[in-house]
Amino acid sequence: MARIVAGVTSSHVPAIGAAIDNHRTSEPYWQRVFEGFERSKEWIAKVKPDVCIVVYNDHASAFSVEMIPTFALGTAAEFPIADEGWGPRPVPVVKGHPQLAAHIAQSVILDEFDLTLCNKMEVDHGLTVPLNLMFGTPKEWPCPVIPLAVNVVMFPPPTGNRCFNLGRAIKKAVESYPEDLKVVVFGTGGMSHQISGQRAGLINSKFDHAFLDNLTRNPQKLVRMDHLEYMREAGAEGVEMVMWLIMRGALEDKVDEVYRFYTVPASNTAVGHIILENRSKGGRKAAARKPAAKSRKSAPKLKRAAARQKIQRIRS
Ligand code: DHB
Ligand code: FE
């Protein structure tokens, strides 16, 4: 049986992609951002997901104002990299998982979520930047990716509640897939930011930290938040955070927060990153714990290693 072991949230700021592509990651401004993902890269290398489901938004690359699906699932075998004006980013083509995607489509649509299915779709920085942050810049992405594009660009985006419930339906779909696959779900975008208008440059760190706390411990508080509150508190583009609730809905009620990173700004945006592991489905058991057990480290040694890593575990 397939199982979701963990959820990750990550920024998708396009300038992060440009910093990677133009070899500027060691500049102090960018180093601060990339450093925050070093432990995450170690974590995901240990977890070794078989598939990642990446919830993101398209930026008029695959879609345009002529056609705006609310939820679009990538069911193709391959997703080419979109040309966003400077040529396609020099990152590997994104390989899909058509079998699992088709299974999710069937299960979720029969559960009354009307997804748009994309058998051909280019993916932009909204998807590739989070992959870079978690996997670095490999020659090939280490696992297949199922893209789920959400409209947060043109009013009305889906509600947080709808997103959370879609996450629930995805969880059910994955858990009914017969093959034994380890799945990680990404929620991307956010945190507070506003790119244009009178409040351009707005960042609300107090709101962001409370959002991260609630994401781990009390997502039911977030699902009730309406779009106006997102926009008032987190800026016009802060509404991207409804996508994180799809990720959270796909996890169990109780999760372990194993890592958190927050920094401001990256471009116009507050970068918030969190890793949540399911307790019962073996996120930690299947990943971090196994190699540790194999290496037969003593308990005090393990304790010291954990302290060194300064991994923050917050019980929900
Ligand atoms: C920026 C952030 C975004 O989330 C986005 O989609 C585009 C630009 C920015 O900070 O510049
Ligand atoms: Fe964005």
Side-chain angles (χ1 to χ4, degrees):
M1 190 184 86
R3 65 209 193 282
I4 295 172
V5 295
V8 169
T9 69
S10 141
S11 175
H12 66 207
V13 174
I16 293 178
I20 294 168
D21 302 344
N22 297 307
H23 312 288
R24 294 173 55 184
T25 54
S26 53
E27 290 176 10
Y29 182 91
W30 289 113
Q31 201 185 12
R32 166 182 55 91
V33 175
F34 289 102
E35 248 173 34
F37 287 83
E38 282 308 312
R39 284 194 200 112
S40 317
K41 287 197 272 186
E42 287 168 21
W43 173 87
I44 207 155
K46 273 190 198 150
V47 172
K48 283 200 184 64
D50 297 305
V51 184
C52 288
I53 299 173
V54 178
V55 183
Y56 75 109
N57 66 290
D58 177 77
H59 301 77
S61 303
F63 312 116
S64 71
V65 288
E66 292 174 2
M67 219 183 281
I68 307 172
T70 300
F71 298 117
L73 187 74
T75 42
E78 235 178 60
F79 303 95
I81 308 302
D83 180 348
E84 299 179 63
W86 295 270
R89 290 196 58 217
V91 294
V93 69
V94 174
K95 301 264 171 66
H97 196 301
Q99 296 83 2
L100 178 59
H103 175 84
I104 292 173
Q106 171 161 323
S107 176
V108 166
I109 291 172
L110 295 182
D111 259 344
E112 303 180 350
F113 287 87
D114 308 318
L115 304 181
T116 298
L117 303 184
C118 300
N119 293 320
K120 188 175 178 194
M121 180 167 73
E122 295 187 346
V123 289
D124 68 12
H125 70 269
L127 183 129
T128 58
V129 165
L131 292 185
N132 281 134
L133 286 171
M134 292 303 292
F135 294 120
T137 51
K139 283 215 170 66
E140 300 287 337
W141 299 119
C143 67
V145 170
I146 299 178
L148 175 60
V150 180
N151 168 40
V152 289
V153 170
M154 187 161 257
F155 197 81
T159 63
N161 189 48
R162 184 76 174 151
C163 287
F164 188 85
N165 288 331
L166 174 59
R168 279 279 180 264
I170 290 171
K171 175 178 188 288
K172 181 176 156 194
V174 169
E175 288 174 359
S176 62
Y177 189 71
E179 200 184 330
D180 189 17
L181 295 177
K182 215 190 293 176
V183 179
V184 170
V185 182
F186 286 38
T188 73
M191 296 197 82
S192 58
H193 63 302
Q194 174 147 340
I195 293 170
S196 58
Q198 282 188 347
R199 298 201 307 161
L202 175 144
I203 281 178
N204 182 349
S205 296
K206 196 171 165 212
F207 173 90
D208 290 339
H209 288 299
F211 193 94
L212 290 168
D213 290 344
N214 282 322
L215 192 71
T216 302
R217 293 176 221 242
N218 192 5
Q220 287 309 321
K221 204 165 169 186
L222 300 178
V223 303
R224 289 192 293 271
M225 196 190 305
D226 64 24
H227 295 135
L228 271 180
E229 192 173 344
Y230 277 101
M231 293 175 84
R232 191 174 58 238
E233 297 296 328
E237 277 74 31
V239 78
E240 288 178 349
M241 280 183 273
V242 293
M243 295 190 286
W244 295 18
L245 296 177
I246 297 179
M247 177 281 283
R248 187 63 182 90
L251 298 181
E252 293 162 3
D253 289 340
K254 300 280 183 194
V255 291
D256 289 325
E257 180 182 320
V258 297
Y259 184 61
R260 184 191 292 203
F261 171 64
Y262 182 86
T263 187
V264 286
S267 192
N268 300 292
T269 303
V271 171
H273 166 51
I274 208 164
I275 300 177
L276 303 176
E277 286 184 355
N278 270 343
R279 286 189 189 168
S280 72
K281 296 285 187 248
R284 220 178 338 148
K285 259 185 247 151
R289 269 184 182 170
K290 254 193 185 162
K294 265 189 201 154
S295 72
R296 289 175 204 254
K297 274 191 187 156
S298 67
K301 258 191 188 164
L302 276 176
K303 249 189 178 171
R304 283 199 298 276
R308 263 203 308 279
Q309 286 192 353
K310 280 199 198 127
I311 283 179
Q312 220 180 327
R313 287 186 187 275
I314 296 176
R315 307 289 285 185
S316 57

